[in-house]
Structures are given as C-alpha cells and as structure tokens.
Amino acid sequence: MKKIFTKEFIIGISVIVAIAILIVGIDFLKGINLFKPANFYYATYTDVAGLETAAPVTLNGYKVGQVREISYDYSNPGHIKVLLALNKELQVPEDSKALIGSNFLSGAFVELKLGVSKRKLAVGGDIATGSSPDALSALTDEVMPKVNQILPRVDTLLYNLNLLVSDPALVASIGRIDGITANLLATSSGLNTSMNRQVPYILGNAGRITQNIDTITYNLTDLSRQLRSLPLQSTMNNIDQLTSNLTKFSNQLNDTKSTLGQLTTDPELYNRLNNVAADIDSLIIDIKKNPKRYISIKLL
C-alpha cells in the first residue's frame, strides 16, 4: 500500500501553508483583517491620488471599513474601481456617497456620506462618488489670500525697521544709554561705599537716640506720677468757688438795684463825681494862686 503523506506531499502542503500565512501576514500588516466579516461595495473614481489599499473608510470620523482593492477599469478608460469592505452591520442607503478626502497626517481616506433614502444599496453594488476638498487645497484657498495681504505690510515694516536701525540718532541714543548705565554703576558703587561708612555711625546715633527716648519716656512717667499726686480735686473746688464768686460779682454789676450796679449805671452819681472832681481841681488851683488866703502864719 502506497503512503499518502510522502515527502513531496508534505513539502507541497508546507509551501501552500507558508504562502497562505505570508499572504495573511502581509494583509495583516497592511491593516486588512481577512477573518472579520464585511460587506463589499464598489466605488468608481477618476482620480485616486494618495489613496492606497487598507486606507480607512470613515463615517462621521469613525472607521467603519477599509479599502480592500484598487484597480484600473480597462473597460471604462479613465476610471478607477475601488473595492470597499464595510462593517457587516452597516446599512448603506442608495443615495449615499463615498468621497475621497485627505489630511496631513494619515494621507488619503474614503469618507462615507450616508443618504436619506429608505432603500438600501445591495451588497456588491456601486456607491456614488465624489471628492471633498483636501486640507492642502483648503489651506491654499483660505490662507494664501490672507498671506498675500500681509506680505506688503511685512515688507513695509521691515523697511521702516531698517530705517530705524540705520538712523544715526538711534546709535547716539544707544551711546548715551551706555553712558547713563556707566554713571548709574558708578553712583551705585559710591552709594555702597557711603553706606558702608555711614551705616555704623547712623546705628550709633540711633542707639543714642533710643537712650534719649528712654530718658524722655522716664521723665514723662515721673511727671505723670507727680501730676497724679497733686491735689487736683481741691484745686478744682477752689476754681469752682472762684468762678461762682465772679458770677455773683458780675450779676451785682449788672443789677441796677444793687450798690455796685448803681455805681456803674447811675448817671447822676457819675455827674456828681465829675462835679466834685472839678471843684477839687478849682480849689487846688486857687490854693496855688492865693496860699495866704488859706494858710496864716503868725510870728511871735
């Protein structure tokens, strides 16, 4: 009886298994999972620049499949057919679109835009295609006009900056600033030297001032103690009595019925006093003129 597992058979089986493992490994490295169930759809483009096998198919930014195969459609020149493997749970409406997009980091990808139709696209059917503006085009269209507007201003700014830098007044100002800095350094050095010399003297004076303040504080304390020992209550009582007497005297002066009040307010008394003063004055004058009339001297 012949052996079934001959050496040649084992070698052939080994080669087939190795080739299968190699294919699966290459697809796995590309990101293609052959063991994951998927529904396949076709999309036809006229330009697939940057799109490669295993590129992601996204829906609202979420990966729902990948590009499984890219081939040129020789029966329809100028068109490229792309095989899309989408998650088996995903139902694709008939009016959906598969747009090619790109970004700076991940390159080209297929962006799936689901339609609103109630009818679902049959598995293996063709999805309508289109292209979304890539990031570079958007950057060129939106940023470049602004850059073109800014460039003349930048040129003017650089020109004015060159004029400012080449201005002799600026050079002279920098020279003056250097001189001022040198003077400030010299002043600071002198101030440090002066402080080193004067600070001990100032501290000594401060100590003497502190001693004087202590002495003044002691004297004030002693004065306060002496003031507390004075008979302030009796003094205040005497002042109150004196004030009361002055008040009574003032009241008597203002009272026209009192003697003092009559002396200060009676006009007749005032006139009599004036008359008496006038008579006395006349008498004195007459005595000076005729002393013999009033003085008699008899000699024995």
Side-chain angles (χ1 to χ4, degrees):
M1 183 177 179
K2 276 188 172 183
K3 290 183 179 181
I4 298 176
F5 298 103
T6 61
K7 183 185 293 185
E8 291 80 4
F9 179 80
I10 294 174
I11 293 174
I13 293 297
S14 300
V15 170
I16 294 173
V17 172
I19 293 174
I21 293 173
L22 179 62
I23 294 173
V24 173
I26 292 174
D27 288 339
F28 179 78
L29 292 177
K30 289 181 179 181
I32 299 174
N33 188 358
L34 296 176
F35 302 102
K36 184 177 182 179
N39 291 331
F40 292 92
Y41 299 90
Y42 289 95
T44 304
Y45 302 93
T46 57
D47 186 3
V48 291
L51 187 65
E52 297 179 354
T53 303
V57 179
T58 63
L59 175 62
N60 298 331
Y62 179 78
K63 182 179 178 182
V64 294
Q66 60 184 175
V67 175
R68 185 61 60 87
E69 183 181 330
I70 302 175
S71 60
Y72 188 81
D73 189 0
Y74 292 98
S75 62
N76 188 10
H79 294 78
I80 300 170
K81 185 168 288 190
V82 177
L83 179 62
L84 305 177
L86 304 181
N87 292 345
K88 205 169 186 64
E89 295 83 3
L90 181 64
Q91 301 294 322
V92 181
E94 283 186 343
D95 56 348
S96 300
K97 287 187 177 181
L99 309 178
I100 294 180
S102 64
N103 55 42
F104 294 109
L105 298 178
S106 61
F109 60 92
V110 176
E111 183 180 6
L112 190 62
K113 298 290 185 181
L114 294 182
V116 295
S117 176
K118 299 296 183 180
R119 299 178 62 183
K120 304 302 180 183
L121 185 65
V123 176
D126 292 329
I127 302 177
T129 59
S131 61
S132 59
D134 56 24
L136 184 60
S137 299
L139 179 65
T140 303
D141 296 338
E142 296 179 8
V143 177
M144 288 307 296
K146 297 180 180 179
V147 172
N148 292 331
Q149 293 177 1
I150 294 174
L151 284 178
R153 300 179 184 178
V154 173
D155 184 64
T156 303
L157 178 62
L158 292 176
Y159 176 74
N160 293 331
L161 184 61
N162 288 330
L163 290 179
L164 179 63
V165 172
S166 61
D167 191 351
L170 179 62
V171 178
S173 299
I174 294 175
R176 287 194 292 271
I177 291 174
D178 291 338
I180 292 172
T181 304
N183 292 334
L184 288 175
L185 291 175
T187 302
S188 176
S189 177
L191 182 61
N192 290 332
T193 304
S194 177
M195 289 295 293
N196 291 332
R197 294 178 179 176
Q198 296 297 328
V199 165
Y201 175 75
I202 293 172
L203 292 177
N205 289 336
R208 288 191 291 273
I209 291 171
T210 303
Q211 293 177 357
N212 293 334
I213 291 174
D214 293 338
T215 303
I216 292 171
T217 303
Y218 175 78
N219 292 334
L220 289 175
T221 303
D222 185 62
L223 176 61
S224 176
R225 185 171 56 254
Q226 293 177 5
L227 289 175
R228 285 198 301 269
S229 64
L230 291 175
L232 293 178
Q233 186 62 40
S234 60
T235 303
M236 292 300 297
N237 293 333
N238 293 333
I239 292 174
D240 291 339
Q241 186 176 1
L242 178 61
T243 303
S244 177
N245 293 334
L246 289 174
T247 302
K248 291 180 180 179
F249 181 72
S250 176
N251 292 333
Q252 290 179 359
L253 287 177
N254 293 326
D255 189 4
T256 57
K257 295 180 179 182
S258 65
T259 303
L260 290 176
Q262 290 179 358
L263 287 174
T264 56
T265 60
D266 189 1
E268 183 178 355
L269 179 61
Y270 175 76
N271 293 329
R272 288 179 181 180
L273 290 175
N274 283 336
N275 292 332
V276 170
D279 292 341
I280 292 173
D281 186 61
S282 299
L283 179 61
I284 292 172
I285 293 172
D286 187 60
I287 291 173
K288 288 181 179 180
K289 289 182 179 182
N290 304 300
K292 294 179 178 181
R293 182 183 300 175
Y294 300 96
I295 301 173
S296 62
I297 302 174
K298 293 181 178 181
L299 297 174
L300 295 175

